[in-house]
Amino acid sequence: DSAFVNCIFHRPPGIGYSQYSGHMDHVLWLHCTVPTQTWLWRGTLHGDNCYVVNGIFIKMQESQGGTTDGFTISHNHFINQAKPMGTAGTTADPQFVAPDGLDYHVQASSPAARSGLPLQCVPADIDGRPRDPRHPTRGCYVCPESPKK
């Protein structure tokens, strides 16, 4: 049982993957931002009641026999991926404010802005700012003053 909520997974150049394998039970990744590394579900991965919701990922894929059976992957935004993984996903430039300066807030015109799944259990962002309860922004930061999607 683990929960990763409002997290940034950032790696410097040259370290390109986060890899998950083995059995996972009741693991949540909610409103995570993973802008610089591919997220791999690999090998012996098997999940029970695991959720990846409202994140921003550069890329996510199954690898080396891994499968996302037992995972709910929903309302995520993918940066460098032709087809989003899971349901209700989007792909495009997320329009980060200043990624070279490690500012991963999204701009108001971002497809990730105010387009997430409402989650009562995540009322605020990583900075403690309240999320719009009906139109949350995907990723770990809220996007103030963005139009409703």
Side-chain angles (χ1 to χ4, degrees), residues 29-106:
W29 289 272
L30 307 176
H31 287 283
C32 293
T33 299
V34 187
T36 59
Q37 60 192 335
T38 298
W39 193 279
L40 295 178
W41 304 109
R42 61 180 290 222
T44 59
L45 178 69
H46 173 73
D48 290 311
N49 302 304
C50 296
Y51 297 85
V52 183
V53 181
N54 287 346
I56 298 175
F57 298 89
I58 192 165
K59 190 172 184 180
M60 181 184 287
Q61 65 190 47
E62 296 173 343
S63 174
Q64 299 176 352
T67 130
T68 52
D69 293 344
F71 284 77
T72 297
I73 300 173
S74 179
H75 288 79
N76 295 293
H77 181 79
F78 298 92
I79 301 167
N80 189 17
Q81 190 159 320
K83 181 180 178 202
M85 216 170 173
T87 59
T90 55
T91 62
D93 178 351
Q95 302 174 24
F96 291 129
V97 169
D100 291 339
L102 305 180
D103 184 348
Y104 294 111
H105 291 83
V106 296

